[in-house]
Amino acid sequence: MTARLRVLVLGGAEGQLACIAACRRIDADVVLVDPRAGVPGIALADQWITLDVMQTEAIVHALEGQAVDAVLTDQSDYAARAAAALAVALGLPGQELDVVEACSNKLVMRQRLTNTVPDLVPWFRHENDSDAARAFIAEQNAPVIVKPLQSQGSRGVSFVNTSADFPLLDEAFAESDGKGVLIEQAVAGTEYSVDGFVRGGVLTPLAISAKTHYDANPCLDERCDFLPSMFTEVEASLLNAMHRIVEALRIDTGIVHAELIVGDHGVTLVEIALRGGGGGISGLIVPYLTGFEPAEALLRHWLQLPDLPAPRDFHDRAASLRFLPYTPPADINEPDSDIPGWLSLVRSEQRFAPGNVPRSGAERAGAIIVVGNTEDDARAAEDQAMRLLGYSLGA
């Protein structure tokens, strides 16, 4: 009798539910690692280890010699680094540690790309000292962006125009975990995201979105529109840049999510991650657009199982990820089945007055995902969902 496969899934929050579902589709048991008692993945797992995913040695000890066949995670840079370390400790296939570092540490990312694709990287400077950072910024004749080396959800990322904005620099240092901050060129243009899957060093694009930022916080997404009419004109430039970046960083296999700015200067990389896009992009939007499950594709690769069928053309459907302007009514907790195309509603415990703008992704009030066979279908679903949630159109 063949032993059942067992997969270590790192993280049990909403972003990892697609990983658990992928394990079930290949009939594998799930060992969940997450220190939080309230995450939804606990009820779906066969075993729960209550440790932080970065506690590599303690996790290996907690397994008590039980064999696992793969380590899987998605949508989190922190967990991606942990998965690479655990794979090494357990003698399992996984991402190379230096590649994960280059895709989660913004300084390492820029240093490596500057040597190979310098036209895709803004000028940048690393500062460990707050006073030195202030002095350097004061010498610039244009706005700059400050950001911690390792952060997700735009935590600590801000435009700094004058000395009046130096409290924003302090926020970046506070989020930097002692690693210092990047000061870099503020590039003008429209920001896009590209999600894809890399196999044997070859990128297969799975989704492109045009991003819209909050008026009062130009470093944080208010919405991501996976609508071909909004990215067709720049698609070739985006994908050419992506292929060059994947090659330059030596990404052999994995889920990738990148953000790039297109303007008069051409294409500039904001960042690339060795994981899928958060907020349901990797777990819900990409599968809807393409019929392709990134987490399952990666799991099959680690386990040397047959590949998934090729994805459908992502241009043939439409989707939008819309972050909510403030907390929705308390009695609405899930999408209304009478609204076709309303795929997801995620609510936060954050409480904001109308018009309040979040500083980072952790401060958003929630989000909806709407989809449709056409762009008009997706827009109609968004209008109906927003009305039901109590927002006026254009909110």
Side-chain angles (χ1 to χ4, degrees), residues 54-75:
M54 278 291 189
Q55 295 178 273
T56 303
E57 291 185 10
I59 293 168
V60 173
H61 179 74
L63 288 169
E64 298 179 331
Q66 301 174 70
V68 293
D69 300 284
V71 182
L72 185 64
T73 195
D74 191 18
Q75 301 188 46

Side-chain angles (χ1 to χ4, degrees), residues 77-241:
D77 290 334
Y78 184 80
R81 296 194 295 272
L86 269 166
V88 171
L90 294 167
L92 297 171
Q95 301 290 2
E96 294 183 16
L97 292 171
D98 70 320
V99 177
V100 175
E101 179 72 4
C103 292
S104 60
N105 183 311
K106 298 175 181 64
L107 176 59
V108 176
M109 183 187 305
R110 279 152 179 71
Q111 289 171 333
R112 294 192 184 178
L113 293 175
T114 296
N115 295 326
T116 50
V117 288
D119 57 303
L120 301 179
V121 183
W123 65 252
F124 63 93
R125 181 185 181 97
H126 177 222
E127 283 291 356
N128 281 304
D129 181 78
S130 178
D131 290 338
R134 282 174 162 78
F136 175 77
I137 293 171
E139 295 172 354
Q140 307 311 305
N141 295 319
V144 299
I145 294 178
V146 297
K147 58 182 67 174
L149 302 193
Q150 292 180 314
S151 69
Q152 194 171 330
S154 296
R155 291 193 305 273
V157 180
S158 298
F159 275 86
V160 174
N161 293 282
T162 69
S163 59
D165 297 325
F166 281 162
L168 301 176
L169 176 63
D170 295 335
E171 288 183 17
F173 272 103
E175 292 284 352
S176 71
D177 196 26
K179 298 181 176 70
V181 303
L182 274 182
I183 305 167
E184 65 181 35
Q185 177 185 9
V187 177
T190 301
E191 187 173 342
Y192 300 86
S193 70
V194 179
D195 283 76
F197 193 82
V198 180
R199 183 183 290 111
V202 178
L203 170 72
T204 298
L206 299 172
I208 298 175
S209 81
K211 292 171 169 279
T212 303
H213 300 102
Y214 291 93
D215 289 338
N217 185 354
C219 293
L220 185 64
D221 303 339
E222 186 172 19
R223 59 184 303 130
C224 301
D225 289 305
F226 298 80
L227 308 177
S229 66
M230 297 181 69
F231 61 74
T232 299
E233 291 185 359
V234 298
E235 180 175 353
S237 297
L238 289 169
L239 295 183
N240 176 62

Side-chain angles (χ1 to χ4, degrees), residues 321-343:
L321 167 60
R322 168 68 187 270
F323 295 101
L324 301 177
Y326 52 93
T327 305
D331 59 346
I332 299 178
N333 295 296
E334 59 185 28
D336 190 318
S337 60
D338 290 332
I339 299 178
W342 187 3
L343 194 63

